[in-house]
Amino acid sequence: QVQLVESGGDSVQPGGSLRLSCAASGFPFGTYYMSWGRQAPLSAREWIAGDNARGRTDYADSVKGRFTISRDNNNNILYLQMNNLKPEDTAVYYCKTGTGLSGNWGQGTQVTVSP
């Protein structure tokens, strides 16, 4: 079965950087479109970044230019490099399969950005 385990969440100051990781198993990771999503406190989940496994990446306007999605198909790991973090980036970050909001979601890892 699909298993997605996020790690790397932490508390940082505005302008800081953080790198999240997602260990995937139970499916052919190397051929799957993979995404990152997030959910701020008392807010709906949103899609923020995707990788189609064929060289194309896509980003939500809120993170474009600051976040970078990448993957290590040899070790089945999905990454999210987050730079110039802002307080509004505070959320639980999720690794997921597929595009948009559909697919399987991991358990999430907390990212807190505060002065």
Side-chain angles (χ1 to χ4, degrees):
Q1 65 275 29
V2 174
Q3 187 170 68
L4 303 168
V5 182
E6 302 93 335
S7 62
D10 206 349
S11 295
V12 298
Q13 295 188 184
S17 296
L18 208 57
R19 188 173 183 82
L20 306 183
S21 298
C22 168
S25 62
F27 66 101
F29 176 83
T31 65
Y32 265 57
Y33 187 107
M34 296 295 297
S35 297
W36 285 96
R38 67 183 182 185
Q39 185 168 18
L42 302 178
S43 299
R45 285 185 180 183
E46 62 175 330
W47 173 93
I48 58 171
D51 183 305
N52 76 345
R54 292 184 175 277
R56 179 187 294 276
T57 57
D58 300 282
Y59 301 90
D61 289 341
S62 58
V63 307
K64 192 175 184 64
R66 299 188 298 120
F67 292 9
T68 302
I69 186 172
S70 63
R71 63 200 297 159
D72 178 353
N73 289 333
N74 293 321
N75 294 296
N76 291 356
I77 303 174
L78 185 73
Y79 297 103
L80 184 68
Q81 177 65 47
M82 305 184 293
N83 297 325
N84 191 24
L85 285 161
K86 306 175 180 180
E88 51 263 45
D89 292 320
T90 294
V92 175
Y93 284 72
Y94 301 89
C95 171
K96 67 175 295 293
T97 62
T99 62
L101 300 180
S102 63
N104 296 99
W105 295 65
Q107 87 291 339
T109 185
Q110 177 71 49
V111 171
T112 300
V113 186
S114 62

